[in-house]
Structures are given as C-alpha cells and as structure tokens.
C-alpha cells in the first residue's frame, strides 16, 4: 500500500518483510496473493526479467492452497510481464495458450477475456492473422460492462498501436 502511495523504496522494504514472514510462518493460505502483490512492487525496483519466476511460484502456492482465482491472477500477470519483458513471442504465445486452457477448464470467463487482449497483441506483434479464440457476444458484453476488463482491453490495444508507431490509434485507446 505504501508503494501505491508513491514511496516505492519503503514499499519494497515491506515486500521483503512480507516474504520473510511468509517463509518463517509458512502460511500457504495467502501465499499466492502475497507473492503476486510482492512482484508488482519488485518490478519497480528489480529488472522485470528477474521477477518473472515469482509468478510461477505464486501460481504454485495458490494452487497448493486451493485458491484458483489467485492462481489465475498470477498466471495472467506472468503472461503480461513476459510480453513486456521482451520474452520470445512464440514462447509468450505458448504460455498464453496454456493459461487459456487452464482458465477454460475452470470457466473463468472474465480472466479469459483479459488474456485475449494480451494474446491479440502477441499475435499482432508476431505478424500472424491468427486471433484469440473468442467467447462470442458474451466477451463483448464483458468488455462493455466491466471497467477493469475494458481498461485491460484498451491498454493492450494502445500498447500494440504504440509498438507499430500508430500514435493516433494509441492516443485513441488511452
């Protein structure tokens, strides 16, 4: 919370403290959530590439405790971060496909829609005509009615436009 208020250094201190406590106490119930929040702060201090494996750790911790939603959040954060970290796009595409299957099996439609926004950008950056498998009109409804999903959708559209130097489009999506 302190990092969110602008004091990244102090927030980073508390992140390290929370991880230390998590390791000492060994409470697995909230480990996935703690690790996911931890990474969001660490990425401001450490290179994003150094934080990637923490998402897999958070995913594993959440799955161990039975927290499917937090496992999915760690999964989506990982997919997002590997794009921004410059990981090979074919590798990103494969990881996104794995994540999509995980979410479909658990019927996590809102998360699937958010992942599709990221996947769309990956496909565009690779240069394929392939598109994410869409969930029908229900996906459009979620984008239209869910502010968080809509922000994610527009962020990825703006990111892709910026990467292709389509600045007017990027401005439109922001």
């Amino acid at each position: 919370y302190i990092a969110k208020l602008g004091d990244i250094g102090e927030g980073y201190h508390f992140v390290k403290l929370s991880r230390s406590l998590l390791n000492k106490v060994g409470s697995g119930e909230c480990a996935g959530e703690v690790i996911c929040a931890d990474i969001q702060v660490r990425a401001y201090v450490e290179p994003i590439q150094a934080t990637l494996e923490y998402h897999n750790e958070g995913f594993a911790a959440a799955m161990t405790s039975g927290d499917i939603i937090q496992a999915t959040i760690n999964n989506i954060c990982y997919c997002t971060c590997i794009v921004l970290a410059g990981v090979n796009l074919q590798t990103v595409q494969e990881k996104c496909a794995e994540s999509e299957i995980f979410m479909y099996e658990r019927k996590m439609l809102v998360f699937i829609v958010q992942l599709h926004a990221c996947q769309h950008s990956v496909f565009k950056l690779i240069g394929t005509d392939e598109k994410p498998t869409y969930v029908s009109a229900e996906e459009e409804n979620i984008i239209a009615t869910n502010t968080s999903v809509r922000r994610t959708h527009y962020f990825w559209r703006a990111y892709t436009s910026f990467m292709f130097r389509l600045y007017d489009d990027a401005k439109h999506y922001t």
Side-chain angles (χ1 to χ4, degrees):
Y1 182 75
I2 290 173
K4 190 175 181 178
L5 294 175
D7 191 349
I8 299 296
E10 193 65 24
Y12 185 63
H13 170 75
F14 281 105
V15 158
K16 292 192 296 187
L17 178 63
S18 70
R19 284 300 291 265
S20 174
L21 286 172
L22 190 63
N23 292 335
K24 279 185 182 178
V25 174
S27 173
E29 298 155 7
C30 63
E33 185 175 354
V34 170
I35 293 168
C36 190
D38 166 316
I39 300 162
Q40 304 309 307
V41 176
R42 280 183 189 265
Y44 279 94
V45 179
E46 301 173 10
I48 196 168
Q49 295 86 346
T51 66
L52 293 176
E53 282 309 308
Y54 292 125
H55 285 295
N56 293 328
E57 185 182 329
F59 174 81
M63 288 299 288
T64 300
S65 70
D67 190 348
I68 301 299
I69 291 175
Q70 193 58 53
T72 304
I73 291 170
N74 272 290
N75 226 341
I76 286 179
C77 288
Y78 181 75
C79 289
T80 300
C81 287
I82 60 176
V83 172
L84 301 176
V87 171
N88 177 288
L89 291 173
Q90 263 68 26
T91 303
V92 174
Q93 184 180 12
E94 291 167 11
K95 181 58 183 171
C96 286
E98 288 173 24
S99 296
E100 184 177 22
I101 291 167
F102 175 83
M103 291 175 215
Y104 268 119
E105 289 172 349
R106 287 150 184 85
K107 299 179 182 8
M108 304 183 95
L109 187 58
V110 171
F111 292 116
I112 292 168
V113 174
Q114 289 181 312
L115 181 65
H116 282 172
C118 177
Q119 282 181 306
H120 183 268
S121 291
V122 171
F123 290 137
K124 288 278 191 188
L125 292 169
I126 289 173
T128 67
D129 291 334
E130 191 176 349
K131 291 186 168 116
T133 53
Y134 286 99
V135 186
S136 74
E138 199 169 0
E139 179 168 355
E140 295 299 324
N141 184 45
I142 290 171
I143 292 170
T145 58
N146 186 312
T147 306
S148 177
V149 173
R150 190 170 45 249
R151 273 192 210 121
T152 300
H153 176 79
Y154 286 133
F155 166 80
W156 282 108
R157 297 296 170 141
Y159 175 79
T160 306
S161 297
F162 181 79
M163 293 304 286
F164 285 112
R165 291 180 169 70
L166 302 170
Y167 300 120
D168 289 338
D169 289 349
K171 185 178 177 182
H172 168 75
Y173 288 122
T174 56

